[in-house]
């Protein structure tokens, strides 16, 4: 299978999506959708790498479900339905009324959704912070990219529940910089993100413990639990991007098309990385992705106090990926020279 075969469905979705955007709002809408798709890919490249680390251990059946059902959840669930539900809760409307608001009064819908930024950033930031901490504070981690930082963190991971403690401290510190009226909703949202991570991670461990009693346990554990983990991870990445997309358009259909096309390419990248064994070929690429996630979590937290451009977020993530890739290539050359 040629490399482009992995992206064939993404190109088809791109063509259909841009055509739909043109139908909705003409050339300008099509251009905005294209820009949003490019931004989505650039901001979520590290997400593709992390997805690949999970997907490579999944059963083929669950991989297919991740691409099909997971794609529907990512595009329609996380980028259309959930924002509408957020507006419904904040504005105390029914979901149908919130959807009518999005169609009939896009400015009002955008303003209501943007007002939920603190809640979204709190939830997503806490979940991503736990993902970052769980990787680097792993006491069994023996491959270090930036040894000066990662080796002490790995030793610190020997302390019980240290990741939760660090995350809670960060949540408290950030909350002290927020206006008093926003502090409680930020803390509650961040705690919800923290608890969600614990539940998803604990669910995986629960199924793993059942593996001894059930010979199909491995398939379930690497399937259902990994599927849930990937969907929540995608949600944490996407919510902030949905809100940021309103800087370019307040039409939820154009936003959904643009971000959906981008999400499709992220899925294709994930499959490509798994099929080609990219993470095995480039030793530190995974590290770079998790550093990028840590940076994104920090930016989401800090963004509740001071606005940070999505361009900066994308550049920081890309920088970590490029540096990790460069270090991996250098490592491969040293190993080849030694042999």
């Amino acid at each position: 299978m040629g490399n482009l075969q992995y992206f064939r469905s993404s190109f088809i979705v791109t063509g259909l999506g841009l055509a739909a955007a043109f139908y909705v709002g003409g050339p300008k809408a099509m251009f905005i959708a294209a820009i949003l798709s490019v931004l989505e890919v650039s901001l979520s490249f590290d997400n593709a790498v992390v997805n690949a680390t999970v997907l490579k251990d999944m059963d083929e059946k669950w991989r297919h479900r991740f691409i099909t059902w997971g794609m529907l959840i990512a595009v329609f669930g996380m980028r259309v339905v959930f924002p509408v539900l957020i507006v419904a809760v904040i504005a105390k409307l029914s979901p149908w009324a919130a959807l009518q608001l999005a169609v009939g009064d896009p400015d009002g819908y955008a303003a209501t959704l943007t007002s939920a930024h603190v809640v979204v950033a709190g939830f997503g930031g806490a979940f991503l912070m736990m993902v970052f901490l769980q990787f680097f504070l792993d006491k069994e981690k023996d491959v270090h990219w930036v040894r000066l930082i990662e080796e002490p963190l790995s030793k610190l991971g020997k302390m019980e529940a240290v990741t939760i403690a660090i995350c809670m401290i960060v949540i408290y510190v950030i909350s002290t910089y927020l206006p008093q009226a926003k502090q409680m909703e930020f803390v509650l949202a961040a705690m919800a993100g923290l608890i969600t991570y614990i539940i998803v991670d604990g669910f995986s461990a629960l199924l793993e413990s059942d593996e001894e009693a059930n010979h199909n346990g491995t398939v379930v554990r690497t399937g259902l639990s990994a599927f849930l983990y990937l969907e929540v991870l995608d949600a944490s990445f996407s919510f902030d991007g949905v809100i940021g997309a309103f800087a370019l358009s307040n039409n939820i259909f154009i936003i959904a098309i643009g971000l959906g096309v981008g999400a499709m390419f992220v899925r294709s990248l994930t499959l490509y990385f798994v099929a080609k064994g990219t993470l095995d070929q480039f030793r530190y690429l995974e590290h770079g992705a998790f550093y990028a996630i840590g940076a994104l979590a920090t930016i989401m937290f800090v963004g509740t106090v001071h606005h940070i451009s999505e361009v900066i977020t994308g550049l920081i993530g890309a920088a970590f990926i490029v540096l990790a890739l460069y270090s991996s290539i250098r490592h491969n050359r040293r190993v080849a020279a030694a042999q």
Side-chain angles (χ1 to χ4, degrees), residues 70 72-83 231-232 234-236 238-239 242:
L72 290 174
I73 294 172
V75 176
F76 297 104
M78 301 306 178
R79 290 163 174 83
V80 179
V81 177
F82 203 83
E231 291 307 317
V232 178
D234 178 73
S236 301
S238 68
F239 289 160
V242 170

Side-chain angles (χ1 to χ4, degrees), residues 170-190:
V170 173
I171 292 170
Y172 170 74
V173 170
I174 294 296
S175 71
T176 60
Y177 288 93
L178 290 170
Q180 190 169 1
K182 294 285 187 180
Q183 288 180 358
M184 183 56 69
E185 63 182 44
F186 170 78
V187 170
L188 290 176

Side-chain angles (χ1 to χ4, degrees), residues 60-76:
E60 188 64 34
K61 176 179 69 176
W62 279 99
R63 286 189 189 181
H64 178 72
R65 289 175 178 174
F66 173 71
I67 298 304
T68 53
W69 292 106
M71 193 64 224
L72 290 174
I73 294 172
V75 176
F76 297 104

